[in-house]
Amino acid sequence: MRKIVFVTTNNGKFHEVKKIFETKNLEVLQNKDGYPELQHDDLEPIAAYGAKWAAEKLKLPVMVDDSGLFIEALSGFPGPYSSFVEKHLGNHGILKLMSEVKNRAAFFKSVIGYCEPGIEATVFTGTVEGTISYEKRGTEGFGFDPIFDYNGVTFGEMNDDDKNKVSHRRKALDKFYEWLD
Ligand code: IMP
């Protein structure tokens, strides 16, 4: 079975990636060393920089996942700042910001960065569109899952398998797998 090192401290991401790759006969190993996060408006350069940095540091082929929630009415906020905003404002803070807002459109984006030592990183992108719910629903998943409504059900109300069929991460991983193969 082929093995791949996934550098992430986010157990939610790791769990999802592990499950998706299990079906493709790829074993994913978590490395929690972390990497410096480039400040950028787009996720692609952040993922590419992180993957390159970690591959050179660990002297191994590695993958990273940089992802975020982009809310249309907030001009794409929190986007690349999703992790910070989730930690400091949380779902409650986002719902408060959105309390008077009619346009609830939002999307999740995941960028997988893959890099081998000595070469440049390659990135793979996936998105999923939905809306911001009016209240938190469900306890599954992680992060903004309980406020991201996908066709009437939040990601927080979906089990892993159902989220993994449609998620931004799944779409990015499908592209990555096709490329690896
Ligand atoms: P990163 O570690 O900089 O990639 O930050 C990603 C952040 O975006 C996470 O900490 C979550 O707040 C949010 N996020 C990304 N993907 C998801 C998801 O699938 N569900 C819920 N929140 C997510």
Side-chain angles (χ1 to χ4, degrees):
M1 194 189 265
R2 190 170 182 165
K3 291 185 181 164
I4 183 151
V5 174
F6 180 13
V7 183
T8 183
T9 52
N10 184 319
N11 295 332
K13 285 183 189 176
F14 174 69
H15 182 71
E16 286 182 16
V17 170
K18 188 172 178 322
K19 270 202 119 171
I20 291 169
F21 273 169
E22 257 165 24
T23 63
K24 302 191 189 284
N25 229 18
L26 256 171
E27 189 185 348
V28 186
L29 309 168
Q30 186 174 17
N31 175 292
K32 293 191 174 188
D33 286 357
Y35 51 87
E37 279 230 1
L38 192 72
Q39 291 297 305
H40 205 287
D41 288 347
D42 298 317
L43 300 181
E44 283 82 355
I46 304 175
Y49 179 84
K52 174 78 180 156
W53 191 94
E56 300 303 342
K57 167 104 191 300
L58 299 171
K59 300 184 174 39
L60 282 174
V62 300
M63 63 172 282
V64 302
D65 167 307
D66 210 80
S67 43
L69 175 67
F70 294 74
I71 302 176
E72 193 171 286
L74 305 179
S75 306
F77 182 83
Y81 313 106
S82 291
S83 158
F84 180 86
V85 170
E86 188 217 316
K87 199 162 149 208
H88 296 280
L89 294 182
N91 287 318
H92 179 70
I94 295 286
L95 290 178
K96 229 171 146 186
L97 281 175
M98 292 292 288
S99 62
E100 303 292 322
V101 179
K102 287 215 168 61
N103 174 10
R104 317 286 300 179
F107 63 90
F108 269 128
K109 179 170 171 177
S110 160
V111 180
I112 301 294
Y114 175 76
C115 193
E116 296 172 14
I119 58 166
E120 289 312 306
T122 310
V123 294
F124 307 89
T125 299
T127 59
V128 60
E129 293 188 7
T131 55
I132 301 300
S133 60
Y134 285 90
E135 68 291 302
K136 284 201 284 181
R137 299 199 315 266
T139 53
E140 301 279 334
F142 69 97
F144 298 116
D145 281 343
I147 61 164
F148 186 80
D149 191 302
Y150 178 80
N151 290 339
V153 188
T154 70
F155 272 3
E157 292 173 306
M158 287 173 143
N159 62 34
D160 291 345
D161 289 340
D162 288 340
K163 179 181 171 188
N164 283 345
K165 279 181 199 144
V166 299
S167 77
H168 48 314
R169 190 157 292 109
R170 168 59 186 273
K171 289 174 185 163
L173 288 174
D174 277 352
K175 289 184 193 165
F176 175 37
Y177 182 73
E178 216 174 278
W179 179 86
L180 268 181
D181 212 23

